Amino acid sequence: MENIAFKMKLKPGMKAEYIKRHAEIWPELKQLLIDTGVSDYTIFLDEESNTLFAVQKASGEEGSQDLGKLDIVQRWWKHMADLMETNPDHSPLIVPLEKVWHMD
């Protein structure tokens, strides 16, 4: 299992809606993540900077952000685009984070 971490940016005032939409994550999207080896996926929010920090375990070669060619992922990105900073294709603007230490 590989830990993958990245950060994203939430638009001001969108916390409640972001939480609501994730509470209602589409079952088929959740199943896709599980089927492709993504597990233990957590997103944290730093409210002071509106920075989202995501960490997930991936058993395969790809994390959730590598699934962007799939229709359901593209639809989810469009569904979330009004809440976050995004690329022109509606994918979240992410910044990969480098692991510099891990406590076993």
Side-chain angles (χ1 to χ4, degrees), residues 21-91:
R21 291 186 193 179
H22 277 81
E24 299 167 351
I25 190 169
W26 306 333
E28 62 271 25
L29 179 59
K30 183 177 179 181
Q31 190 60 53
L32 171 67
L33 292 170
I34 292 166
D35 291 347
T36 56
V38 175
S39 64
D40 197 12
Y41 190 172
T42 305
I43 301 173
F44 300 90
L45 172 63
D46 173 10
E47 290 189 68
E48 186 176 321
S49 67
N50 281 327
T51 299
L52 297 161
F53 169 75
V55 62
Q56 58 190 235
K57 292 186 185 293
S59 63
E61 304 244 340
E62 301 178 322
S64 64
Q65 299 304 307
D66 297 310
L67 302 173
K69 293 180 180 144
L70 300 174
D71 179 64
I72 189 168
V73 175
Q74 291 176 10
R75 286 189 291 122
W76 179 258
W77 286 347
K78 287 178 187 173
H79 178 61
M80 299 299 291
D82 61 324
L83 307 180
M84 312 171 62
E85 292 183 6
T86 63
N87 294 301
D89 67 354
H90 302 293
S91 63

